[in-house]
Amino acid sequence: MAKPLGPTGEFFRRRDEWRKHPMLSNQLRHATPGLGIALVAFGIYLVGEQVYDKLYKPHPPTSSSSH
């Protein structure tokens, strides 16, 4: 078991309890639900677009001299 904190340790433990309050932890994560999934989906879209552009590159116009 842990050793007893004593009056000073107990005082500081109570003073620091607010830091572990659920309202103060993970604020950004709770404020932006789904942001991580959206960023991953957008990254996959960007990679897919690059692959598509490389595979289906527009062909340069052919110069036919029919004059």
Side-chain angles (χ1 to χ4, degrees), residues 28-55:
L28 184 62
R29 187 172 175 189
H30 292 301
T32 57
L35 179 65
I37 294 171
L39 289 175
V40 169
F42 185 65
I44 291 171
Y45 164 75
L46 290 177
V47 169
E49 186 178 20
Q50 292 296 317
V51 169
Y52 178 83
D53 287 345
K54 296 239 186 250
L55 291 175

Side-chain angles (χ1 to χ4, degrees), residues 12-28:
F12 285 113
R13 190 182 68 135
R14 281 186 317 216
R15 297 273 292 177
D16 287 338
E17 281 181 0
W18 68 270
R19 297 176 197 261
K20 297 176 183 161
H21 193 276
M23 286 287 287
L24 298 175
S25 61
N26 293 328
Q27 282 287 352
L28 184 62

